[in-house]
Amino acid sequence: MREQLALLPGYLGAHLELTMFALLVGVCLSVPLGVLSARSPRLERPVLLVASVVQTVPSLALLALMVPLLAALKLPSIGALPAFVALVLYSVLPVLRNTVTGLTGVDPALVEAADAVGMTARQKLLKVELPLALPVIVAGIRTAATWTVGMATLSTPVGGVSLGNYIFSGLQTRNFTAVLVGCIAAACLALVLDGLARLALFALERRRRALLRVSLAGFAVLFGLALTTLARAALGSGPAPVVIGSKTFTEQYILAQVLSQTLTRETNATAAIKESLGSTVVFDALASGDIDAYVDYSGTIWATIMRRDASSDRANVLAETRRFLAEKYGIRLVGALGFENAYALAVPRARARELGLKSIGDLAVHAPRLAIGGDYEFFQRPEWKAIAAAYGLAFREQRSMDPSLMYDAVARGSVDVISAFSSDGRIVAFDLELLADERGAIPPYDAILLAGKRLSETQPDVIRALESLVGRIGPDAMRRMNLEVDSKKKSPRDVARAFLGGQRF
């Protein structure tokens, strides 16, 4: 718990920065647009339609769409900006709709009375219509605030630091203390924002100036904290850190720590980690220069980025991947770490003995009666299509789920087969049998260290430090390190430190 609480100021400050400024911009856009829409029925329908369409896009999908869109505009596509833009868009609808509803719901007799005393259109709006519509508008702002706080936790996969870092990393490493801290902190922030908005409305309705000052002071404190976080990031001293990326599973968290700690030990460079990035997001971030290095897998690059058919020739895959990355993206393949983490189909050992399963070919006969579970992307990946085609697999049911839940699911019988990762320590912990791929449908998945163009051109000392890791991590060592985190609840930072300190795994 102490370790998680030590991270809270940084995560909460970043979350507050995203939430407060996105909400502020959203309100500043929505209220004037709502006023214009209430004045013009011809404008109201298309404006509300566009806002409603944006709201129907799943929040995580909207965040992911920001990445290629901002990259195409030559803007930072990883980090706070894509999250900020998506949060602003998501905050618009409730405020916009409630502004229109509140203004159109004002008693026409009161508007006529305002006309009768000679008020201008501006005076009517500011002194009659907006004050009367204020309760409805504030209700929309309260809804937007709650949505924005919750959605900001989803900024983690696109590189935005937030309380979502607790939740995503905690789920993957089965650290439910981290998940709990992240959820409680987000809930408390949402309640504080909602309470301050409610207090402000109560003070205005009852003309309680003291309460209004308390509410405004509360908002000022929150904006002050957000500005402090923003200023600290903008005015940070010293050279830019080497940014290490990681995907959304235990092994990646450990390897990111190994890279980071190696750099700080062997060079004068500082390192920063952007964790829990999506698989294609992290590659795009390296290609665009938003991150400087990370560990990927040769089979992922081969199948997803290069769009090549399966190949069992490990040396050829590595050589072709190195050439392709250098020529097309300026990315340097520093080397292979020494282990493979391939996709593999796994079943409980007892079930494998019961059905006589030793290979994927043996599974084909039983597949129509079985359910298979895979991570979010597995059933859309070329590897799955190659496996299904090579062995004629047709399962009774395919279920996508969070990778951290797959192993529990197969152990409890919720599914019969899962798309496991060959270096995962939970294969041993859950007593699973990996089925042999005798037809070579799955390409090699050597863990490879990739470095961006900036490092290769300007920081050769960092490249040399990374090269010291080539061939240093064997498959058994990686599996045991994963197990230390997943089953023994050690932090990726501590496991990486122990490995670099010479502890045998």
Side-chain angles (χ1 to χ4, degrees):
M1 176 64 80
R2 183 178 301 174
E3 181 182 355
Q4 302 307 323
L5 292 178
L7 297 171
L8 184 59
Y11 289 167
L12 181 59
H15 197 103
L16 192 61
E17 178 190 336
L18 267 178
T19 299
M20 298 305 293
F21 288 114
L23 188 61
L24 176 63
V25 173
V27 171
C28 290
L29 287 174
S30 303
V31 173
L33 195 55
V35 171
L36 290 174
S37 299
R39 290 281 188 271
S40 172
R42 294 178 62 182
L43 181 63
E44 176 185 345
R45 182 172 295 178
V47 166
L48 286 174
L49 178 62
V50 171
S52 298
V53 168
V54 170
Q55 198 73 43
T56 61
V57 178
S59 51
L60 194 56
L62 184 62
L63 283 162
L65 287 172
M66 289 299 110
V67 175
L69 178 61
L70 292 174
L73 296 173
K74 306 300 182 183
L75 294 171
S77 59
I78 297 297
L81 185 58
F84 172 77
V85 174
L87 289 174
V88 169
L89 292 175
Y90 241 76
S91 68
V92 165
L93 179 63
V95 183
L96 174 62
R97 178 178 288 162
N98 279 37
T99 300
V100 173
T101 302
L103 290 173
T104 55
V106 172
D107 189 341
L110 296 176
V111 177
E112 290 177 7
D115 288 330
V117 299
M119 283 188 176
T120 65
R122 179 184 175 84
Q123 289 173 325
K124 280 193 301 180
L125 176 66
L126 296 179
K127 295 185 177 182
V128 178
E129 294 170 303
L130 279 178
L132 291 173
L134 191 61
V136 180
I137 296 173
V138 171
I141 293 174
R142 290 170 65 185
T143 300
T146 303
W147 285 1
T148 304
V149 171
M151 185 181 168
T153 61
L154 299 177
S155 64
T156 301
V158 295
V161 179
S162 71
L163 293 169
N165 286 59
Y166 276 128
I167 297 168
F168 279 87
S169 63
L171 284 173
Q172 297 305 322
T173 61
R174 303 185 64 77
N175 186 339
F176 296 112
T177 300
V179 176
L180 189 62
V181 171
C183 290
I184 291 175
C188 289
L189 179 56
L191 289 173
V192 167
L193 283 173
D194 184 72
L196 289 174
R198 184 178 180 183
L199 180 62
L201 179 60
F202 177 82
L204 288 169
E205 289 178 335
R206 302 298 176 88
R207 298 186 179 182
R208 303 281 187 86
R209 293 186 177 181
L211 290 180
L212 181 60
R213 282 194 287 268
V214 170
S215 174
L216 293 178
F219 280 115
V221 169
L222 293 179
F223 273 109
L225 292 172
L227 280 170
T228 300
T229 303
L230 183 63
R232 187 181 296 118
L235 301 175
S237 58
V242 176
V243 182
I244 307 297
S246 88
K247 300 186 185 184
T248 57
F249 52 94
T250 300
E251 181 171 293
Q252 286 279 308
Y253 298 135
I254 296 171
L255 293 173
Q257 287 291 339
V258 169
L259 268 59
S260 173
Q261 293 179 33
T262 297
L263 295 185
T264 55
R265 287 183 181 202
E266 299 187 16
T267 72
N268 294 323
T270 57
I273 296 176
K274 284 191 178 294
E275 60 183 22
S276 299
L277 300 175
S279 183
T280 56
V281 169
V282 68
F283 180 84
D284 291 341
L286 184 68
S288 64
D290 290 315
I291 66 171
D292 297 301
Y294 81 104
V295 175
D296 211 322
Y297 304 93
S298 57
T300 298
I301 303 297
W302 183 265
T304 305
I305 307 299
M306 298 170 65
R307 304 290 184 182
R308 300 289 184 87
D309 294 331
S311 170
S312 59
D313 189 335
R314 174 170 279 105
N316 180 63
V317 168
L318 280 174
E320 286 293 307
T321 300
R322 176 178 280 107
R323 182 189 59 78
F324 172 85
L325 293 176
E327 291 179 358
K328 185 163 185 178
Y329 297 100
I331 292 173
R332 180 168 179 170
L333 197 164
V334 178
L337 293 178
F339 72 92
E340 184 183 14
N341 186 7
Y343 270 115
L345 299 189
V347 295
R349 197 173 302 277
R351 184 70 161 155
R353 286 197 298 267
E354 175 189 339
L355 298 178
L357 303 178
K358 293 185 178 179
S359 69
I360 301 176
D362 297 332
L363 185 63
V365 177
H366 304 280
R369 301 190 302 276
L370 305 178
I372 182 172
D375 61 62
Y376 297 129
E377 60 185 74
F378 178 67
F379 296 115
Q380 305 303 318
R381 291 181 64 91
E383 294 93 326
W384 167 243
K385 295 179 176 62
I387 294 169
Y391 294 97
L393 295 179
F395 285 92
R396 171 176 55 84
E397 182 183 8
Q398 293 179 188
R399 298 174 63 179
S400 295
M401 60 187 71
D402 190 279
S404 64
L405 303 178
M406 290 192 307
Y407 294 88
D408 277 332
V410 76
R412 295 178 181 180
S414 300
V415 293
D416 303 290
V417 187
I418 61 169
S419 61
F421 308 107
S422 62
S423 62
D424 200 310
R426 287 170 291 186
I427 292 170
V428 175
F430 285 87
D431 195 26
L432 301 181
E433 177 87 15
L434 296 183
L435 302 181
D437 174 26
E438 70 268 33
R439 298 179 188 174
I442 304 173
Y445 271 81
D446 288 295
I448 51 176
L449 215 170
L450 304 181
K453 190 175 182 179
R454 183 177 76 86
L455 287 188
S456 297
E457 293 179 347
T458 65
Q459 294 184 267
D461 58 328
V462 171
I463 295 295
R464 286 193 295 270
L466 295 177
E467 287 174 339
S468 70
L469 295 171
V470 173
R472 188 172 167 185
I473 306 176
D476 291 337
M478 191 70 250
R479 194 174 292 117
R480 283 192 286 268
M481 283 194 281
N482 288 333
L483 192 61
E484 290 286 303
V485 174
D486 289 327
S487 296
K488 299 183 181 179
K489 309 304 178 186
K490 295 184 180 179
S491 72
R493 180 186 293 108
D494 290 342
V495 171
R497 185 182 297 117
F499 170 76
L500 293 174
Q503 180 175 324
R504 292 181 62 82
F505 281 94

